[in-house]
Amino acid sequence: MSDPFLVVGGGPAGLSAAHALAAAGESVVLVEKTGILGGAPIHSGYSKLVPTGEWAKDAIGSMVSRVVGNDRIEVITDEVVQSFDGSPCNFTATLRGGRRINTKAAILCTGFTHFDSVNKPEWGFGRFPDVVTTTQVEQMISGGHGVRRPSNGEPPKRVAILLCVGSRDRQIGREWCSKICCTVSAKMAMEIREELPDCHVYIYYMDIRTFGLYEEVYWNSQEEQKVKYIKARIAEVTSDGDKVIVKGEDTLVKRPITIPFDMVVHAIGMDPNVDNMTIASVFGIDLHHWGYLKRENTYGVMGGTSREGVYVAGAAIGPETIDDSIGQGAGAAMSALGMVKGLVPA
Ligand SMILES: Cc1cc2nc3c(=O)[nH]c(=O)nc-3n(C[C@H](O)[C@H](O)[C@H](O)COP(=O)(O)OP(=O)(O)OC[C@H]3O[C@@H](n4cnc5c(N)ncnc54)[C@H](O)[C@@H]3O)c2cc1C
Ligand code: SF4
């Protein structure tokens, strides 16, 4: 039997790459660092996904099932690749546990790391219990307990969602836009309003970037659920012991604001995977100057990197949506297959 393809990372991109190769009749070894496949939507317990409104556990769960149930795909969990040597069509990957895998090509789908809001201390996370992140609210909703104030378990009557937390912020070294958080926040605001119709939800923004068809979520949030959008510069989040207080400037009317809320939600961004330095060194590929895995030859080889025979896809290369990550996973898989068959450059 010929050597398998190696897919590293079992999130949407990796599941898609593995499935595409298996569908083309190839064998695959998928190596996932954690004990569970599905990537961020499963590990972080996302609720309903944009744009489809499907529950993450169902949508991504079905991607996991078709990979786990495929006898052309071997899944290895709780493992990482420690070294990777050789040349295209003839690589050897050595896992941390010592197992060696001969492989024709590798597709890195190692994803991102959620921004840790403690790195934005003036916005109150970690100091006040009712300052939470979008991932925590996703978990409240997907866990079926509803949106509640962590301080007292009560449903909030006023919620502020602050955009661009850990994105577009040069002061803390995060210059990129995380691409999906405006849309996720608009969706989340609607979910809160549906569950708690008496709760007022405000979104504080610099710009709204609900790109492409996602603009529909923006309009629906205002027209159907009366979510209010305020263009502002937030200076700090404090507390009076009960309410959390958002302070800053309304940049449309150019007036200072000091507004009490029951809950403040940080729309956290997508940092480069904390493992990226190690991954780049193990696989001998370049990093983008912001710390993501770097793509090369963007218009020639889908998912190509600085090393022939090693490909990248999904949020490993920068903030991405799930459907783009799935598309890139399948695209990188086809690049790898074409290279092995001698049809396209490495
Ligand atoms: C709060 C929030 C909500 C979101 N909601 C949506 C939404 O509704 N719709 C949407 O389109 N997008 C959404 N996104 C974006 C979505 O999370 C990403 O598009 C998606 O997770 C990217 O998939 P991926 O497979 O590239 O990476 P990931 O999901 O990050 O998966 C990477 C996988 O690789 C594994 N891994 C990491 N390092 C290694 C290693 N060294 N070796 C082996 N395995 C490794 C990880 O454990 C993980 O399983 C949201 C993002 C955030 C922050
Ligand atoms: S998608 Fe929206 S919230 Fe996210 S970083 Fe870009 S502008 Fe900010």
Side-chain angles (χ1 to χ4, degrees), residues 31-283:
V31 177
E32 161 60 41
K33 181 170 87 166
T34 70
I36 300 169
L37 296 181
I42 297 299
H43 297 156
S44 295
Y46 294 175
S47 56
K48 287 182 183 166
L49 299 177
V50 285
T52 63
E54 289 170 80
W55 289 94
K57 67 176 177 5
D58 298 331
I60 308 301
S62 67
M63 292 186 70
V64 170
S65 304
R66 70 182 186 180
V67 161
V68 170
N70 195 315
D71 52 17
R72 289 205 183 90
I73 304 172
E74 181 190 357
V75 176
I76 303 174
T77 53
D78 292 312
E79 259 297 3
V80 294
V81 177
Q82 205 161 40
S83 67
F84 188 78
D85 305 301
S87 52
C89 302
N90 193 21
F91 291 111
T92 302
T94 306
L95 306 188
R96 184 175 42 199
R99 181 172 161 190
R100 288 158 67 86
I101 300 166
N102 295 328
T103 177
K104 295 188 273 204
I107 302 157
L108 309 181
C109 304
T110 42
F112 70 103
T113 296
H114 289 97
F115 175 74
D116 186 344
S117 271
V118 296
N119 294 314
K120 191 76 186 160
E122 63 274 29
W123 286 15
F125 182 83
R127 288 162 59 212
F128 311 119
D130 293 326
V131 179
V132 298
T133 64
T134 36
T135 50
Q136 287 175 284
V137 176
E138 295 270 357
Q139 287 159 17
M140 289 181 195
I141 296 167
S142 65
H145 312 298
V147 177
R148 298 290 180 270
R149 296 180 69 183
S151 63
N152 60 12
E154 296 289 321
K157 291 201 169 56
R158 289 169 53 81
V159 172
I161 301 177
L162 311 183
L163 300 190
C164 300
V165 185
S167 310
R168 307 179 65 205
D169 188 341
R170 289 192 154 180
Q171 283 179 340
I172 55 169
R174 269 96 175 160
E175 300 186 39
W176 52 88
C177 169
S178 290
K179 203 169 177 178
I180 190 73
C181 14
C182 276
T183 311
V184 166
S185 298
K187 174 224 60 160
M188 185 172 285
M190 287 200 283
E191 286 176 307
I192 296 172
R193 292 274 300 150
E194 278 161 21
E195 186 210 332
L196 306 169
D198 294 335
C199 179
H200 299 275
V201 183
Y202 295 77
I203 292 182
Y204 287 88
Y205 68 96
M206 270 195 279
D207 302 294
I208 295 293
R209 296 184 172 178
T210 43
F211 62 98
L213 302 188
Y214 293 166
E215 193 77 353
E216 188 177 22
V217 187
Y218 170 63
W219 292 121
N220 288 350
S221 69
Q222 294 180 78
E223 289 164 7
E224 293 174 10
Q225 292 295 346
K226 310 299 175 219
V227 174
K228 296 167 196 82
Y229 286 76
I230 299 175
K231 190 170 174 70
R233 287 239 167 244
I234 304 304
E236 62 172 338
V237 177
T238 60
S239 173
D240 64 3
D242 175 25
K243 307 290 181 195
V244 271
I245 298 163
V246 173
K247 294 183 179 173
E249 187 195 49
D250 181 321
T251 48
L252 281 184
V253 294
K254 301 211 175 335
R255 291 229 176 99
I257 49 175
T258 300
I259 306 177
F261 288 95
D262 296 318
M263 256 175 80
V264 168
V265 183
H266 285 194
I268 53 171
M270 297 168 75
D271 272 2
N273 184 337
V274 290
D275 290 350
N276 274 359
M277 297 266 272
T278 307
I279 294 168
S281 152
V282 165
F283 286 91

